[in-house]
Amino acid sequence: MATHRESMHGQWSSRWAFILAATGSAVGLGNIWKFPYMAGENGGGAFVLVYLLCVALIGIPIMMAEVLIGRHGRRSPTNTLMEICKEQHHSQWWQLIGWSGMLVGFLILSYYSVIAGWTLAYVFRAGSGTFTALGGDAVGKIFSDFISDPERLLAWHTIFMGLTMVVVARGVKSGLETAVTYLMPALFVLLLILVGYAMNTGYFTEGLSFLFKPDFSKISANGVLAAMGQAFFSLSIGMGAIMIYGSYLPQDASITRSSIIIALADTLVAILAGVAIFPIVFANGLDPAQSVGLVFNTLPIAFGNMPGGAFFGMLFFILLAFAAWTSAISLIEPMVTWLVESLGMNRVTAVVWTGACAWLLGIGTIFSFNLWSDYTINKMSFFDVLDYLTSNVLLPLGGILITIFAVWIMSEKSTREELSISHEQGYSIWRFVLRYITPVAMFFVLLKVAGIIGS
Ligand code: TRP
């Protein structure tokens, strides 16, 4: 029996605590805010199909790789990679994956907190009955007025970042388990209520066929890349967030089963959000390709026109803000643990530094919706550039390096031991998929983007 390390930052109380925390990280704005508008911008069904394929063939195997690397090293991603390289005599350069992961988490957090701030603001709008009996135009105007006011956005961004910093400073494990145990199912129920509303709009089948009838003429090469990037973003993989959560995972917990449960829960929430939103889009003659405002321009129509809508609306945005919060925590955890381990900072100082810098960078995102909206590179605003760079470039790149590390660099013995899949075939399938299928699938996407294969 091999000896196993222990994490200096503690351990989850059980496999379920890990599954809940990782689901808390995965389910967030990516599912309810981003997935629907990405699907809307990229033509619907074909995007959704590519997305689902990416989750199954690329996402789940990479998630397993991240968790096993994390559990094997039991430290911050950077130090985990360094330790494993030392132990197995490989180049220390592999720790670069950890460095780039910390940077990516930080970049994502900067804008994630801004958007999460929007959901906080909407708690009060929905609760005060602002949306009662409004139609699409009025709801749209409320949103566009809101995002054109930098001061208000800054206030909500500051509140959200502050809340995130408080939890991370106290240590990730306390409270997270309870929050996720009760809030996730509640969010799920509210999504079902919204789907119920969508069923009565008279446009339910239009919504479903938009989402599930693939029309490949509507998806561009960039759409395929966006679907892959979205899979990374939504599952929280490619930067070490799941790796750090894996480092707190008890030794006897099954990595395979946990990863599949997390991915299924994450995908289900995204699909439900789409099923709730698109019938409302079509019933109100709205544009499915309206980018970042989609969820804020559609769901309030539902809340404004259903019985008890002010209450359900308020509850929905509270739960969405919670979901964003449990995701944001995982974005800075790798950097915070690294500062604690390697620079000997105490946890609170590490959190204050990381949070303050991400807050500052977030101001760029705020301005890109108002003061700087005319400054674009290649038609992309500051926010668009950050989002594209992180989701479509850096996360997949991190993912491919993590994959190479897990199946070509780490010894077969240690990965086999961590995964401890009881059927011999299970392990071989995982290794085969990560060695050959995942890289080929990712390469295929790259070729498509480069225009080398048919668009
Ligand atoms: N997955 C989260 C969402 O869907 C966002 C997120 C949290 C994330 N941690 C991450 C994305 C790490 C990429 C990497 O909202």
Side-chain angles (χ1 to χ4, degrees), residues 33 36 52 107 134 138 163 292 405 417:
W33 162 74
L52 294 176
L107 295 178
L134 294 188
L163 289 173
V292 296
F405 187 80
E417 209 175 86

Side-chain angles (χ1 to χ4, degrees), residues 165-401:
M165 286 161 70
V166 171
V167 207
V168 183
R170 293 181 55 201
V172 164
K173 282 167 280 320
S174 57
L176 198 56
E177 199 171 334
T178 337
V180 180
T181 311
Y182 295 103
L183 299 172
M184 284 288 156
L187 182 63
F188 190 75
V189 170
L190 269 177
L191 279 173
L192 289 180
I193 293 176
L194 284 165
V195 171
Y197 174 87
M199 280 176 164
N200 289 317
T201 53
Y203 284 80
F204 195 60
T205 32
E206 277 82 348
L208 287 188
S209 70
F210 179 78
L211 272 176
F212 299 116
K213 241 202 201 146
D215 174 353
F216 285 97
S217 67
K218 288 210 191 121
I219 190 166
S220 62
N222 250 317
V224 174
L225 177 65
M228 183 174 81
Q230 175 62 17
F232 277 87
F233 186 90
S234 193
L235 295 172
S236 298
I237 53 176
M239 58 132 307
I242 290 293
M243 199 185 287
I244 192 83
Y245 280 11
S247 76
Y248 309 144
L249 182 66
Q251 201 62 42
D252 55 358
S254 157
I255 292 179
T256 317
R257 228 172 307 153
S258 311
S259 303
I260 293 175
I261 295 173
I262 298 160
L264 282 179
D266 186 65
T267 307
L268 188 63
V269 173
I271 295 289
L272 274 184
V275 170
I277 286 173
F278 284 105
I280 303 176
V281 170
F282 297 122
N284 290 279
L286 303 175
D287 177 11
Q290 57 175 287
S291 183
V292 296
L294 185 64
V295 68
F296 297 96
N297 288 332
T298 51
L299 296 187
I301 304 178
F303 295 126
N305 293 284
M306 66 164 70
F311 171 74
F312 286 132
M314 187 174 77
L315 194 60
F316 175 80
F317 285 109
I318 291 178
L319 293 170
L320 184 54
F322 258 108
W325 194 42
T326 55
S327 300
I329 293 168
S330 72
L331 285 165
I332 44 173
E333 181 70 5
M335 190 175 256
V336 169
T337 43
W338 180 79
L339 289 170
V340 172
E341 283 168 9
S342 293
L343 301 190
M345 270 190 195
N346 74 36
R347 201 169 171 93
V348 177
T349 320
V351 170
V352 170
W353 272 107
T354 326
C357 295
W359 175 83
L360 203 62
L361 186 65
I363 295 176
T365 290
I366 291 182
F367 286 171
S368 61
F369 296 108
N370 37 67
L371 303 179
W372 293 352
S373 57
D374 292 335
Y375 296 107
T376 54
I377 307 172
N378 224 343
K379 293 213 199 100
M380 295 204 286
S381 66
F382 180 84
F383 160 73
D384 295 328
V385 172
L386 262 189
D387 178 40
Y388 190 91
L389 183 72
T390 48
S391 300
N392 294 2
V393 182
L394 295 172
L395 290 178
L397 194 68
I400 202 114
L401 290 174

